[in-house]
Amino acid sequence: MGSLRLTGWASAQRGFPAAAAAAPEWGVRRRPRRCCHGVPLPRPRCAPSPAPAVASSLGVGAAGHLRDGAEREWLWDCRGGAGGGARDYTREMEVAVRVVQVACTLCQRVQDALLHPGADAGGRVHSKLDRSPVTVAAVRASIFAYGDILLCSFMPDWGVQAIVSWLLSNSFHDENISIVAEEDDETLSSSNGAALLESVVEAVNGCLVEAPKYGLRSPEKELGAHDVIQAIRKCSSAGGPKGRFWVLDPVDGTLGFVRGDQYAIALALIEDGEVILGVLGCPNYPMKKEWLNYHQKYYRLMSKVAPPPLGSWHKGCVMYAQKGCGQAWMQPLVHDFGKLDWAHPREIQVSSISDPMSATFCEPVEKANSSHSFTAGLAHSVGLRTQPLRVYSMVKYAAIARGDAEIFMKFARTGYKEKIWDHAAGVVIIQEAGGVVTDAGGRQLDFSRGIYLEGLDRGIIACSGALLHQRILDAVDASWNSSTL
């Protein structure tokens, strides 16, 4: 049979194309340049070697030499930014961006396998216990040949969670890593989950073996099923108002993922109830704003008709920001661009549009947990005339941070509670890019009360500027009593 067995990620993905010259600028509105606080800075040639723990986690040997596969490091430095005298989060930011890059690569490979199965392979979707559509993450294929069953099951939800958990724990081995994440191991550990678990383990190992390409350490030996289960179980923190913990949404926008559309990998660091760092991986985010209005299948088709030049940013990026820096940044995906590009990140900023008639607003694609009719009424009342941009996942936050849209509104239906992993990373990125995010009462979102955004006033509103934000708040107050939410 002409089937393709995806055994071991490394064997199917040997190397990356060499990156060409940096792509031209693409229309980001830039504020006057401040000093270089918050910008990834090159290490001076005579800089002392990093501390052993940091060097080990970032792929640097004890003598300061890079191990095979690791690149010359670039440092994130925001200590003197808007927060003045803030704690140095260089290490956390570098590791978080690298980890999300690895996670994006896994998801891209899985999605490609799901969307382009062999002629005799079929895809199927596995439901989580809450009946939401998780892909066996898309089960790549179930191939039946002469009674021999070849099951290639790839689950980015569990796979990404295991990878992020292992990489964070390994990178910060001197610290007690606490992670709040969406998935648990119940399905994988069940009596019916043996084949699924085996596939997840294979996917995790196939991705971790390439960690040195991202400046991270690989396991000394392959992880077993027990190791993967333990990594997933480690993501069981309940959050809260004290201490430090990471927040992970391994695949935000599962329906978008299954359909070959937008999805995101979101990682944030929360300390004493405040979001400190946010990293958002958007593997299918097109560099041209207009492509956001089309289903990804058309974008992929046009990309084949007119392939982008090698090394250009045609799609896929990781955005990141630190609270108090006043700046947010973006770099291309390694999987698309061919290398980890710390040297030439691009600053992202919110749009300068303040006229509602010219503004674009985002809302969730799914109607199950949000009211499209209410947001449509609000849009009309404030004079929004542009068709809504309906985008899966936290890519909505990315669109506002990058200036591709101006307003995001979400008003949950009765009984639905917002989770912190669906918002933490996106909120800090928008805020540092110059935007505003609050609940519908104008209050800051509270990430200090566990896994839910408790005390949320009606809904969430994110805007590119204070004027648009206030107009939406006023419209909510005027329309709420007559709504049917």
Side-chain angles (χ1 to χ4, degrees), residues 262-282:
Q262 298 297 330
Y263 65 99
I265 296 93
L267 182 63
L269 177 63
I270 293 181
E271 204 165 67
D272 294 334
E274 289 191 81
V275 183
I276 302 298
L277 304 177
V279 183
L280 198 57
C282 306

Side-chain angles (χ1 to χ4, degrees), residues 153-173:
S153 306
F154 298 103
M155 288 293 298
D157 297 84
W158 285 301
V160 166
Q161 190 159 311
I163 285 172
V164 171
S165 174
W166 191 92
L167 289 174
L168 286 179
S169 297
N170 185 67
S171 298
F172 299 103
H173 54 80

Side-chain angles (χ1 to χ4, degrees), residues 33-58:
R33 294 291 292 177
R34 297 184 291 276
C35 62
C36 56
H37 301 307
V39 182
L41 300 173
R43 272 199 190 104
R45 292 186 179 181
C46 298
S49 298
V54 179
S56 176
S57 69
L58 296 180

Side-chain angles (χ1 to χ4, degrees), residues 85-342:
R87 175 175 172 174
D88 181 9
Y89 289 95
T90 295
R91 184 182 176 203
E92 290 85 349
M93 180 63 84
E94 285 203 16
V95 170
V97 172
R98 295 173 191 277
V99 167
V100 170
Q101 282 272 9
V102 176
C104 287
T105 297
L106 182 146
C107 287
Q108 285 183 305
R109 294 173 181 177
V110 173
Q111 191 180 61
D112 287 345
L114 172 68
L115 297 176
H116 305 289
D120 47 12
R124 53 194 170 99
V125 173
H126 173 83
S127 293
K128 291 189 288 189
L129 296 181
D130 64 0
R131 299 186 181 275
S132 60
V134 161
T135 62
V136 157
V139 175
R140 153 68 173 88
S142 296
I143 302 174
F144 298 84
Y146 305 105
D148 180 32
I149 300 178
L150 175 61
L151 178 63
C152 297
S153 306
F154 298 103
M155 288 293 298
D157 297 84
W158 285 301
V160 166
Q161 190 159 311
I163 285 172
V164 171
S165 174
W166 191 92
L167 289 174
L168 286 179
S169 297
N170 185 67
S171 298
F172 299 103
H173 54 80
D174 57 332
E175 300 176 23
N176 183 23
I177 297 298
S178 179
I179 305 172
V180 177
E182 185 173 14
E183 304 301 333
D184 58 40
D185 67 292
E186 185 174 353
T187 300
L188 292 181
S189 300
S190 69
S191 58
N192 296 323
L196 178 58
L197 175 59
E198 181 181 354
S199 299
V200 172
V201 171
E202 181 181 5
V204 168
N205 282 313
C207 196
L208 285 178
V209 75
E210 298 186 0
K213 292 182 179 180
Y214 305 84
L216 297 166
R217 295 181 61 187
S218 294
E220 294 182 359
K221 61 180 181 179
E222 286 193 348
L223 303 186
H226 174 76
D227 301 315
V228 170
I229 289 292
Q230 289 303 310
I232 294 172
R233 284 179 179 171
K234 193 166 187 175
C235 304
S236 58
S237 171
K242 298 295 182 182
R244 164 190 284 208
F245 56 90
W246 295 87
V247 178
L248 170 68
D249 194 335
V251 179
D252 183 41
T254 301
L255 190 55
F257 181 92
V258 173
R259 292 178 174 177
D261 212 303
Q262 298 297 330
Y263 65 99
I265 296 93
L267 182 63
L269 177 63
I270 293 181
E271 204 165 67
D272 294 334
E274 289 191 81
V275 183
I276 302 298
L277 304 177
V279 183
L280 198 57
C282 306
N284 285 337
Y285 197 138
M287 290 296 104
K288 293 184 178 181
K289 173 185 176 181
E290 54 267 28
W291 281 112
L292 280 170
N293 294 292
Y294 297 92
H295 192 281
Q296 279 296 109
K297 66 181 179 181
Y298 298 114
Y299 174 68
R300 288 194 301 273
L301 175 63
M302 294 306 297
S303 294
K304 290 180 180 179
V305 173
L310 186 64
S312 65
W313 290 36
H314 67 105
K315 73 164 191 172
C317 63
V318 172
M319 299 182 184
Y320 49 98
Q322 176 181 329
K323 180 180 176 63
C325 284
Q327 292 171 297
W329 298 88
M330 177 175 70
Q331 63 179 221
L333 291 184
V334 169
H335 190 67
D336 289 327
F337 199 67
K339 66 178 182 179
L340 189 62
D341 187 22
W342 281 109

